[in-house]
Amino acid sequence: MALGAVASAVGLAVDDRVLVDAPIWAKPFKFYLSFTVYGLSLAWMLAQSTRGRRTGWWAGNVVVATSLVEMAIITGQVVRGKRSHFNVETPFDQALFTAMGITVIVLWAATLVIGLLLLRTRFTDRATAWAIRGGVMIALAGAGIGFLMTLPSAEQRAGGTESPDVIGAHSVGVPDGGPSMPLTGWSTTGGDLRIPHFVGMHALQLIPLVLIALVVLAPRIARFRDAGLRLRLIRVVTIGYAGLVALTTWQALRGQPLVHPDAVTLVATGVLLVAVAAGVGVALRQPPAPAQREPEPQESEPPSLSKEFTA
């Protein structure tokens, strides 16, 4: 996937073709990058699993295989100068889009298997358990939002101005390919389901990264050395992140662009921010748990090296 991202970057530099009002190599470039971090995150999480390692190995390889099929179709359609998503112009294009839909379902199911394995894994650190499990579950919800894009839009169902060669859309209330934000390409005139899809899937990286930041800061900030505080903060972050996915989904389904929220969306955003801030405040106000002293090893039993490393 990383090599594909490099190749797509070269395509962006040398190929000036435009498809649906965007550089034709922009979509594979973003997908290759996304799959790169997605695969790295799942690989790290699988390494933390202590149960069902063989099942996890198979699920991980299914994720790899389906991702490769998905990207082969996307890249092949770019080479042909055709849309990969929602394209039913010819029987061949429709077959490719159907194949992509099947691979996404299989990939989602394999990720679900990995998530279930992680739910059964016993972690020594409860904050790590929350970060990993919460990240996977929210990522599954974010990936599931992608299925909404394959449904015919209201205009398509009504036989409006959209091309009959296209079924499905990522924009809500406006045609795909209109004015958009730089880099992301998200619509600035209507709702865009790619926003909650992106936000949700990258919970897989962002929530564990918050925990990593707390652990890195612990030597400098004594308060973060408390495992109980880290657990409480990660709980607040996970619940708040789930709220953000729900908020962006609700906004997109109402046909509202991210950069032009109405008063109702602003109020909901304010409520979410206040709730998260209150949760952080409550977590910080609770006193640290008293440190538990490890029992002295018996003379007949040598100290455990694993316990030393755990400490």
mmCIF file of all heavy atoms in Angstrom, residues 66-110:
data_model
loop_
_atom_site.group_PDB
_atom_site.id
_atom_site.type_symbol
_atom_site.label_atom_id
_atom_site.label_comp_id
_atom_site.label_asym_id
_atom_site.label_seq_id
_atom_site.Cartn_x
_atom_site.Cartn_y
_atom_site.Cartn_z
ATOM 1 N N THR A 66 -8.295 -8.735 0.566
ATOM 2 C CA THR A 66 -9.411 -7.919 0.085
ATOM 3 C C THR A 66 -8.968 -6.479 -0.195
ATOM 4 O O THR A 66 -9.461 -5.846 -1.139
ATOM 5 C CB THR A 66 -10.561 -7.929 1.104
ATOM 6 O OG1 THR A 66 -10.047 -7.602 2.406
ATOM 7 C CG2 THR A 66 -11.221 -9.293 1.164
ATOM 8 N N SER A 67 -8.036 -5.970 0.610
ATOM 9 C CA SER A 67 -7.519 -4.615 0.351
ATOM 10 C C SER A 67 -6.803 -4.559 -0.986
ATOM 11 O O SER A 67 -6.959 -3.593 -1.754
ATOM 12 C CB SER A 67 -6.558 -4.204 1.470
ATOM 13 O OG SER A 67 -7.181 -4.235 2.725
ATOM 14 N N LEU A 68 -6.021 -5.593 -1.280
ATOM 15 C CA LEU A 68 -5.298 -5.623 -2.552
ATOM 16 C C LEU A 68 -6.256 -5.696 -3.730
ATOM 17 O O LEU A 68 -6.057 -5.025 -4.756
ATOM 18 C CB LEU A 68 -4.344 -6.812 -2.573
ATOM 19 C CG LEU A 68 -3.103 -6.696 -1.679
ATOM 20 C CD1 LEU A 68 -2.354 -8.018 -1.631
ATOM 21 C CD2 LEU A 68 -2.190 -5.587 -2.178
ATOM 22 N N VAL A 69 -7.315 -6.508 -3.608
ATOM 23 C CA VAL A 69 -8.313 -6.584 -4.691
ATOM 24 C C VAL A 69 -8.977 -5.229 -4.890
ATOM 25 O O VAL A 69 -9.155 -4.752 -6.024
ATOM 26 C CB VAL A 69 -9.358 -7.669 -4.377
ATOM 27 C CG1 VAL A 69 -10.506 -7.620 -5.389
ATOM 28 C CG2 VAL A 69 -8.714 -9.050 -4.384
ATOM 29 N N GLU A 70 -9.359 -4.611 -3.785
ATOM 30 C CA GLU A 70 -10.005 -3.293 -3.839
ATOM 31 C C GLU A 70 -9.130 -2.279 -4.571
ATOM 32 O O GLU A 70 -9.583 -1.558 -5.470
ATOM 33 C CB GLU A 70 -10.291 -2.818 -2.413
ATOM 34 C CG GLU A 70 -10.945 -1.458 -2.317
ATOM 35 C CD GLU A 70 -12.457 -1.546 -2.318
ATOM 36 O OE1 GLU A 70 -13.000 -2.643 -2.444
ATOM 37 O OE2 GLU A 70 -13.086 -0.481 -2.199
ATOM 38 N N MET A 71 -7.855 -2.225 -4.210
ATOM 39 C CA MET A 71 -6.958 -1.235 -4.803
ATOM 40 C C MET A 71 -6.597 -1.583 -6.235
ATOM 41 O O MET A 71 -6.349 -0.685 -7.051
ATOM 42 C CB MET A 71 -5.703 -1.084 -3.949
ATOM 43 C CG MET A 71 -5.958 -0.457 -2.587
ATOM 44 S SD MET A 71 -6.968 1.053 -2.648
ATOM 45 C CE MET A 71 -6.036 2.071 -3.789
ATOM 46 N N ALA A 72 -6.553 -2.871 -6.573
ATOM 47 C CA ALA A 72 -6.300 -3.261 -7.966
ATOM 48 C C ALA A 72 -7.420 -2.758 -8.869
ATOM 49 O O ALA A 72 -7.173 -2.265 -9.984
ATOM 50 C CB ALA A 72 -6.160 -4.780 -8.066
ATOM 51 N N ILE A 73 -8.670 -2.853 -8.393
ATOM 52 C CA ILE A 73 -9.806 -2.380 -9.194
ATOM 53 C C ILE A 73 -9.778 -0.858 -9.311
ATOM 54 O O ILE A 73 -9.961 -0.291 -10.404
ATOM 55 C CB ILE A 73 -11.125 -2.865 -8.569
ATOM 56 C CG1 ILE A 73 -11.222 -4.392 -8.646
ATOM 57 C CG2 ILE A 73 -12.319 -2.220 -9.286
ATOM 58 C CD1 ILE A 73 -12.429 -4.970 -7.929
ATOM 59 N N ILE A 74 -9.549 -0.171 -8.183
ATOM 60 C CA ILE A 74 -9.514 1.298 -8.213
ATOM 61 C C ILE A 74 -8.418 1.796 -9.150
ATOM 62 O O ILE A 74 -8.641 2.682 -9.987
ATOM 63 C CB ILE A 74 -9.306 1.854 -6.790
ATOM 64 C CG1 ILE A 74 -10.550 1.592 -5.936
ATOM 65 C CG2 ILE A 74 -8.994 3.350 -6.825
ATOM 66 C CD1 ILE A 74 -10.406 2.000 -4.485
ATOM 67 N N THR A 75 -7.227 1.208 -9.025
ATOM 68 C CA THR A 75 -6.104 1.638 -9.869
ATOM 69 C C THR A 75 -6.364 1.296 -11.333
ATOM 70 O O THR A 75 -6.068 2.097 -12.228
ATOM 71 C CB THR A 75 -4.804 0.975 -9.394
ATOM 72 O OG1 THR A 75 -4.626 1.238 -8.000
ATOM 73 C CG2 THR A 75 -3.609 1.512 -10.164
ATOM 74 N N GLY A 76 -6.911 0.108 -11.587
ATOM 75 C CA GLY A 76 -7.207 -0.276 -12.966
ATOM 76 C C GLY A 76 -8.209 0.652 -13.624
ATOM 77 O O GLY A 76 -8.054 1.012 -14.801
ATOM 78 N N GLN A 77 -9.224 1.073 -12.873
ATOM 79 C CA GLN A 77 -10.201 1.999 -13.427
ATOM 80 C C GLN A 77 -9.594 3.374 -13.688
ATOM 81 O O GLN A 77 -9.961 4.047 -14.665
ATOM 82 C CB GLN A 77 -11.404 2.114 -12.484
ATOM 83 C CG GLN A 77 -12.309 0.880 -12.461
ATOM 84 C CD GLN A 77 -13.045 0.680 -13.767
ATOM 85 O OE1 GLN A 77 -12.463 0.222 -14.764
ATOM 86 N NE2 GLN A 77 -14.329 1.010 -13.765
ATOM 87 N N VAL A 78 -8.654 3.784 -12.853
ATOM 88 C CA VAL A 78 -7.963 5.057 -13.099
ATOM 89 C C VAL A 78 -7.176 4.972 -14.396
ATOM 90 O O VAL A 78 -7.192 5.908 -15.207
ATOM 91 C CB VAL A 78 -7.033 5.399 -11.911
ATOM 92 C CG1 VAL A 78 -6.061 6.511 -12.303
ATOM 93 C CG2 VAL A 78 -7.852 5.829 -10.704
ATOM 94 N N VAL A 79 -6.499 3.887 -14.608
ATOM 95 C CA VAL A 79 -5.736 3.701 -15.850
ATOM 96 C C VAL A 79 -6.671 3.775 -17.058
ATOM 97 O O VAL A 79 -6.322 4.350 -18.096
ATOM 98 C CB VAL A 79 -4.972 2.372 -15.812
ATOM 99 C CG1 VAL A 79 -4.331 2.088 -17.170
ATOM 100 C CG2 VAL A 79 -3.903 2.389 -14.717
ATOM 101 N N ARG A 80 -7.870 3.225 -16.915
ATOM 102 C CA ARG A 80 -8.864 3.247 -18.004
ATOM 103 C C ARG A 80 -9.547 4.603 -18.130
ATOM 104 O O ARG A 80 -10.282 4.847 -19.102
ATOM 105 C CB ARG A 80 -9.927 2.182 -17.774
ATOM 106 C CG ARG A 80 -9.422 0.755 -17.818
ATOM 107 C CD ARG A 80 -10.553 -0.232 -17.540
ATOM 108 N NE ARG A 80 -11.564 -0.162 -18.580
ATOM 109 C CZ ARG A 80 -12.885 -0.085 -18.357
ATOM 110 N NH1 ARG A 80 -13.338 -0.006 -17.102
ATOM 111 N NH2 ARG A 80 -13.747 -0.038 -19.356
ATOM 112 N N GLY A 81 -9.353 5.485 -17.135
ATOM 113 C CA GLY A 81 -10.021 6.773 -17.148
ATOM 114 C C GLY A 81 -11.473 6.702 -16.744
ATOM 115 O O GLY A 81 -12.289 7.545 -17.137
ATOM 116 N N LYS A 82 -11.811 5.696 -15.921
ATOM 117 C CA LYS A 82 -13.192 5.473 -15.512
ATOM 118 C C LYS A 82 -13.343 5.620 -14.003
ATOM 119 O O LYS A 82 -12.395 5.458 -13.250
ATOM 120 C CB LYS A 82 -13.642 4.059 -15.914
ATOM 121 C CG LYS A 82 -13.562 3.767 -17.405
ATOM 122 C CD LYS A 82 -14.655 4.483 -18.156
ATOM 123 C CE LYS A 82 -14.684 4.059 -19.626
ATOM 124 N NZ LYS A 82 -15.791 4.715 -20.373
ATOM 125 N N ARG A 83 -14.573 5.884 -13.584
ATOM 126 C CA ARG A 83 -14.886 5.877 -12.150
ATOM 127 C C ARG A 83 -14.843 4.449 -11.639
ATOM 128 O O ARG A 83 -15.263 3.516 -12.331
ATOM 129 C CB ARG A 83 -16.287 6.451 -11.900
ATOM 130 C CG ARG A 83 -16.424 7.919 -12.190
ATOM 131 C CD ARG A 83 -17.821 8.424 -11.878
ATOM 132 N NE ARG A 83 -18.166 8.285 -10.449
ATOM 133 C CZ ARG A 83 -19.104 9.010 -9.846
ATOM 134 N NH1 ARG A 83 -19.767 9.928 -10.528
ATOM 135 N NH2 ARG A 83 -19.355 8.846 -8.573
ATOM 136 N N SER A 84 -14.368 4.288 -10.423
ATOM 137 C CA SER A 84 -14.390 2.961 -9.805
ATOM 138 C C SER A 84 -15.650 2.780 -8.961
ATOM 139 O O SER A 84 -16.310 1.741 -9.031
ATOM 140 C CB SER A 84 -13.141 2.751 -8.944
ATOM 141 O OG SER A 84 -12.981 3.813 -8.016
ATOM 142 N N HIS A 85 -16.002 3.799 -8.200
ATOM 143 C CA HIS A 85 -17.161 3.718 -7.319
ATOM 144 C C HIS A 85 -18.432 4.183 -8.039
ATOM 145 O O HIS A 85 -18.401 5.158 -8.809
ATOM 146 C CB HIS A 85 -16.950 4.565 -6.065
ATOM 147 C CG HIS A 85 -15.933 4.005 -5.127
ATOM 148 N ND1 HIS A 85 -14.584 4.034 -5.395
ATOM 149 C CD2 HIS A 85 -16.066 3.380 -3.923
ATOM 150 C CE1 HIS A 85 -13.923 3.466 -4.397
ATOM 151 N NE2 HIS A 85 -14.790 3.073 -3.494
ATOM 152 N N PHE A 86 -19.521 3.469 -7.792
ATOM 153 C CA PHE A 86 -20.868 3.824 -8.270
ATOM 154 C C PHE A 86 -21.013 3.724 -9.791
ATOM 155 O O PHE A 86 -22.014 4.171 -10.337
ATOM 156 C CB PHE A 86 -21.270 5.241 -7.822
ATOM 157 C CG PHE A 86 -20.842 5.598 -6.431
ATOM 158 C CD1 PHE A 86 -20.097 6.743 -6.193
ATOM 159 C CD2 PHE A 86 -21.173 4.797 -5.356
ATOM 160 C CE1 PHE A 86 -19.689 7.078 -4.904
ATOM 161 C CE2 PHE A 86 -20.769 5.117 -4.072
ATOM 162 C CZ PHE A 86 -20.030 6.254 -3.838
ATOM 163 N N ASN A 87 -20.036 3.143 -10.483
ATOM 164 C CA ASN A 87 -20.036 3.118 -11.947
ATOM 165 C C ASN A 87 -20.741 1.864 -12.453
ATOM 166 O O ASN A 87 -20.275 0.747 -12.242
ATOM 167 C CB ASN A 87 -18.595 3.164 -12.464
ATOM 168 C CG ASN A 87 -18.528 3.304 -13.983
ATOM 169 O OD1 ASN A 87 -19.550 3.330 -14.666
ATOM 170 N ND2 ASN A 87 -17.327 3.398 -14.516
ATOM 171 N N VAL A 88 -21.883 2.055 -13.137
ATOM 172 C CA VAL A 88 -22.608 0.937 -13.763
ATOM 173 C C VAL A 88 -22.824 1.230 -15.244
ATOM 174 O O VAL A 88 -23.809 0.805 -15.836
ATOM 175 C CB VAL A 88 -23.961 0.696 -13.043
ATOM 176 C CG1 VAL A 88 -23.722 0.195 -11.627
ATOM 177 C CG2 VAL A 88 -24.818 1.969 -13.013
ATOM 178 N N GLU A 89 -21.873 1.965 -15.830
ATOM 179 C CA GLU A 89 -22.013 2.393 -17.223
ATOM 180 C C GLU A 89 -22.079 1.207 -18.174
ATOM 181 O O GLU A 89 -22.867 1.188 -19.118
ATOM 182 C CB GLU A 89 -20.838 3.300 -17.592
ATOM 183 C CG GLU A 89 -20.900 3.846 -19.010
ATOM 184 C CD GLU A 89 -19.726 4.743 -19.320
ATOM 185 O OE1 GLU A 89 -18.865 4.966 -18.437
ATOM 186 O OE2 GLU A 89 -19.664 5.236 -20.472
ATOM 187 N N THR A 90 -21.229 0.209 -17.961
ATOM 188 C CA THR A 90 -21.206 -0.992 -18.794
ATOM 189 C C THR A 90 -21.288 -2.218 -17.886
ATOM 190 O O THR A 90 -21.033 -2.119 -16.676
ATOM 191 C CB THR A 90 -19.911 -1.060 -19.619
ATOM 192 O OG1 THR A 90 -18.795 -1.256 -18.727
ATOM 193 C CG2 THR A 90 -19.692 0.224 -20.419
ATOM 194 N N PRO A 91 -21.636 -3.390 -18.440
ATOM 195 C CA PRO A 91 -21.638 -4.601 -17.606
ATOM 196 C C PRO A 91 -20.286 -4.858 -16.936
ATOM 197 O O PRO A 91 -20.242 -5.334 -15.797
ATOM 198 C CB PRO A 91 -21.988 -5.710 -18.604
ATOM 199 C CG PRO A 91 -22.787 -5.014 -19.666
ATOM 200 C CD PRO A 91 -22.177 -3.652 -19.784
ATOM 201 N N PHE A 92 -19.175 -4.527 -17.632
ATOM 202 C CA PHE A 92 -17.854 -4.727 -17.046
ATOM 203 C C PHE A 92 -17.647 -3.793 -15.859
ATOM 204 O O PHE A 92 -17.174 -4.224 -14.793
ATOM 205 C CB PHE A 92 -16.780 -4.492 -18.105
ATOM 206 C CG PHE A 92 -15.376 -4.666 -17.590
ATOM 207 C CD1 PHE A 92 -14.904 -5.915 -17.226
ATOM 208 C CD2 PHE A 92 -14.519 -3.577 -17.472
ATOM 209 C CE1 PHE A 92 -13.615 -6.087 -16.743
ATOM 210 C CE2 PHE A 92 -13.224 -3.733 -16.997
ATOM 211 C CZ PHE A 92 -12.773 -4.995 -16.637
ATOM 212 N N ASP A 93 -18.004 -2.514 -16.029
ATOM 213 C CA ASP A 93 -17.874 -1.560 -14.923
ATOM 214 C C ASP A 93 -18.756 -1.975 -13.746
ATOM 215 O O ASP A 93 -18.333 -1.882 -12.582
ATOM 216 C CB ASP A 93 -18.260 -0.156 -15.378
ATOM 217 C CG ASP A 93 -17.275 0.421 -16.377
ATOM 218 O OD1 ASP A 93 -16.065 0.216 -16.186
ATOM 219 O OD2 ASP A 93 -17.710 1.060 -17.348
ATOM 220 N N GLN A 94 -19.965 -2.424 -14.043
ATOM 221 C CA GLN A 94 -20.871 -2.847 -12.987
ATOM 222 C C GLN A 94 -20.318 -4.068 -12.253
ATOM 223 O O GLN A 94 -20.426 -4.158 -11.017
ATOM 224 C CB GLN A 94 -22.246 -3.165 -13.567
ATOM 225 C CG GLN A 94 -23.293 -3.477 -12.512
ATOM 226 C CD GLN A 94 -24.688 -3.583 -13.096
ATOM 227 O OE1 GLN A 94 -24.887 -3.505 -14.310
ATOM 228 N NE2 GLN A 94 -25.680 -3.759 -12.239
ATOM 229 N N ALA A 95 -19.714 -4.997 -12.992
ATOM 230 C CA ALA A 95 -19.129 -6.178 -12.359
ATOM 231 C C ALA A 95 -17.981 -5.786 -11.435
ATOM 232 O O ALA A 95 -17.833 -6.337 -10.335
ATOM 233 C CB ALA A 95 -18.645 -7.157 -13.428
ATOM 234 N N LEU A 96 -17.173 -4.825 -11.860
ATOM 235 C CA LEU A 96 -16.068 -4.377 -11.010
ATOM 236 C C LEU A 96 -16.591 -3.714 -9.737
ATOM 237 O O LEU A 96 -16.066 -3.950 -8.640
ATOM 238 C CB LEU A 96 -15.174 -3.396 -11.786
ATOM 239 C CG LEU A 96 -14.316 -3.988 -12.911
ATOM 240 C CD1 LEU A 96 -13.522 -2.881 -13.595
ATOM 241 C CD2 LEU A 96 -13.366 -5.053 -12.366
ATOM 242 N N PHE A 97 -17.618 -2.885 -9.877
ATOM 243 C CA PHE A 97 -18.177 -2.221 -8.699
ATOM 244 C C PHE A 97 -18.810 -3.232 -7.747
ATOM 245 O O PHE A 97 -18.690 -3.119 -6.522
ATOM 246 C CB PHE A 97 -19.201 -1.174 -9.129
ATOM 247 C CG PHE A 97 -19.785 -0.380 -7.996
ATOM 248 C CD1 PHE A 97 -18.963 0.147 -7.005
ATOM 249 C CD2 PHE A 97 -21.155 -0.163 -7.906
ATOM 250 C CE1 PHE A 97 -19.494 0.882 -5.957
ATOM 251 C CE2 PHE A 97 -21.689 0.566 -6.861
ATOM 252 C CZ PHE A 97 -20.862 1.086 -5.880
ATOM 253 N N THR A 98 -19.466 -4.248 -8.309
ATOM 254 C CA THR A 98 -20.034 -5.309 -7.470
ATOM 255 C C THR A 98 -18.936 -6.066 -6.735
ATOM 256 O O THR A 98 -19.061 -6.378 -5.542
ATOM 257 C CB THR A 98 -20.852 -6.284 -8.332
ATOM 258 O OG1 THR A 98 -21.904 -5.563 -8.988
ATOM 259 C CG2 THR A 98 -21.455 -7.387 -7.481
ATOM 260 N N ALA A 99 -17.837 -6.353 -7.453
ATOM 261 C CA ALA A 99 -16.708 -7.044 -6.819
ATOM 262 C C ALA A 99 -16.128 -6.210 -5.678
ATOM 263 O O ALA A 99 -15.773 -6.744 -4.622
ATOM 264 C CB ALA A 99 -15.622 -7.338 -7.858
ATOM 265 N N MET A 100 -16.046 -4.896 -5.881
ATOM 266 C CA MET A 100 -15.562 -4.022 -4.811
ATOM 267 C C MET A 100 -16.479 -4.085 -3.592
ATOM 268 O O MET A 100 -16.018 -4.123 -2.450
ATOM 269 C CB MET A 100 -15.468 -2.579 -5.314
ATOM 270 C CG MET A 100 -14.350 -2.338 -6.312
ATOM 271 S SD MET A 100 -14.393 -0.647 -6.948
ATOM 272 C CE MET A 100 -14.116 0.291 -5.460
ATOM 273 N N GLY A 101 -17.789 -4.107 -3.850
ATOM 274 C CA GLY A 101 -18.732 -4.194 -2.743
ATOM 275 C C GLY A 101 -18.559 -5.478 -1.947
ATOM 276 O O GLY A 101 -18.605 -5.475 -0.713
ATOM 277 N N ILE A 102 -18.329 -6.581 -2.658
ATOM 278 C CA ILE A 102 -18.142 -7.871 -1.973
ATOM 279 C C ILE A 102 -16.862 -7.848 -1.147
ATOM 280 O O ILE A 102 -16.837 -8.312 0.004
ATOM 281 C CB ILE A 102 -18.123 -9.014 -3.011
ATOM 282 C CG1 ILE A 102 -19.499 -9.144 -3.670
ATOM 283 C CG2 ILE A 102 -17.715 -10.333 -2.352
ATOM 284 C CD1 ILE A 102 -19.528 -10.102 -4.842
ATOM 285 N N THR A 103 -15.770 -7.314 -1.722
ATOM 286 C CA THR A 103 -14.507 -7.288 -0.975
ATOM 287 C C THR A 103 -14.611 -6.411 0.264
ATOM 288 O O THR A 103 -14.042 -6.747 1.313
ATOM 289 C CB THR A 103 -13.355 -6.782 -1.864
ATOM 290 O OG1 THR A 103 -13.651 -5.453 -2.331
ATOM 291 C CG2 THR A 103 -13.125 -7.697 -3.050
ATOM 292 N N VAL A 104 -15.351 -5.318 0.173
ATOM 293 C CA VAL A 104 -15.515 -4.446 1.344
ATOM 294 C C VAL A 104 -16.278 -5.170 2.451
ATOM 295 O O VAL A 104 -15.935 -5.067 3.638
ATOM 296 C CB VAL A 104 -16.220 -3.138 0.948
ATOM 297 C CG1 VAL A 104 -16.650 -2.368 2.181
ATOM 298 C CG2 VAL A 104 -15.306 -2.274 0.102
ATOM 299 N N ILE A 105 -17.314 -5.922 2.075
ATOM 300 C CA ILE A 105 -18.082 -6.675 3.075
ATOM 301 C C ILE A 105 -17.196 -7.715 3.752
ATOM 302 O O ILE A 105 -17.216 -7.871 4.988
ATOM 303 C CB ILE A 105 -19.300 -7.347 2.410
ATOM 304 C CG1 ILE A 105 -20.301 -6.283 1.949
ATOM 305 C CG2 ILE A 105 -19.965 -8.321 3.369
ATOM 306 C CD1 ILE A 105 -21.454 -6.832 1.126
ATOM 307 N N VAL A 106 -16.389 -8.424 2.950
ATOM 308 C CA VAL A 106 -15.501 -9.443 3.515
ATOM 309 C C VAL A 106 -14.449 -8.791 4.407
ATOM 310 O O VAL A 106 -14.130 -9.289 5.496
ATOM 311 C CB VAL A 106 -14.842 -10.264 2.394
ATOM 312 C CG1 VAL A 106 -13.831 -11.259 2.971
ATOM 313 C CG2 VAL A 106 -15.895 -11.021 1.590
ATOM 314 N N LEU A 107 -13.896 -7.652 3.962
ATOM 315 C CA LEU A 107 -12.904 -6.937 4.770
ATOM 316 C C LEU A 107 -13.517 -6.492 6.095
ATOM 317 O O LEU A 107 -12.890 -6.615 7.149
ATOM 318 C CB LEU A 107 -12.379 -5.740 3.982
ATOM 319 C CG LEU A 107 -11.218 -4.947 4.589
ATOM 320 C CD1 LEU A 107 -10.398 -4.299 3.467
ATOM 321 C CD2 LEU A 107 -11.690 -3.847 5.526
ATOM 322 N N TRP A 108 -14.735 -5.975 6.043
ATOM 323 C CA TRP A 108 -15.412 -5.534 7.271
ATOM 324 C C TRP A 108 -15.615 -6.706 8.213
ATOM 325 O O TRP A 108 -15.396 -6.597 9.431
ATOM 326 C CB TRP A 108 -16.753 -4.901 6.913
ATOM 327 C CG TRP A 108 -17.444 -4.226 8.055
ATOM 328 C CD1 TRP A 108 -17.331 -2.919 8.432
ATOM 329 C CD2 TRP A 108 -18.366 -4.822 8.977
ATOM 330 N NE1 TRP A 108 -18.120 -2.668 9.527
ATOM 331 C CE2 TRP A 108 -18.767 -3.813 9.891
ATOM 332 C CE3 TRP A 108 -18.889 -6.111 9.117
ATOM 333 C CZ2 TRP A 108 -19.668 -4.057 10.918
ATOM 334 C CZ3 TRP A 108 -19.788 -6.358 10.156
ATOM 335 C CH2 TRP A 108 -20.162 -5.329 11.036
ATOM 336 N N ALA A 109 -16.036 -7.851 7.662
ATOM 337 C CA ALA A 109 -16.263 -9.031 8.493
ATOM 338 C C ALA A 109 -14.960 -9.523 9.126
ATOM 339 O O ALA A 109 -14.934 -9.927 10.295
ATOM 340 C CB ALA A 109 -16.900 -10.143 7.665
ATOM 341 N N ALA A 110 -13.851 -9.480 8.363
ATOM 342 C CA ALA A 110 -12.558 -9.900 8.914
ATOM 343 C C ALA A 110 -12.113 -8.966 10.026
ATOM 344 O O ALA A 110 -11.569 -9.411 11.050
ATOM 345 C CB ALA A 110 -11.508 -9.941 7.800
#
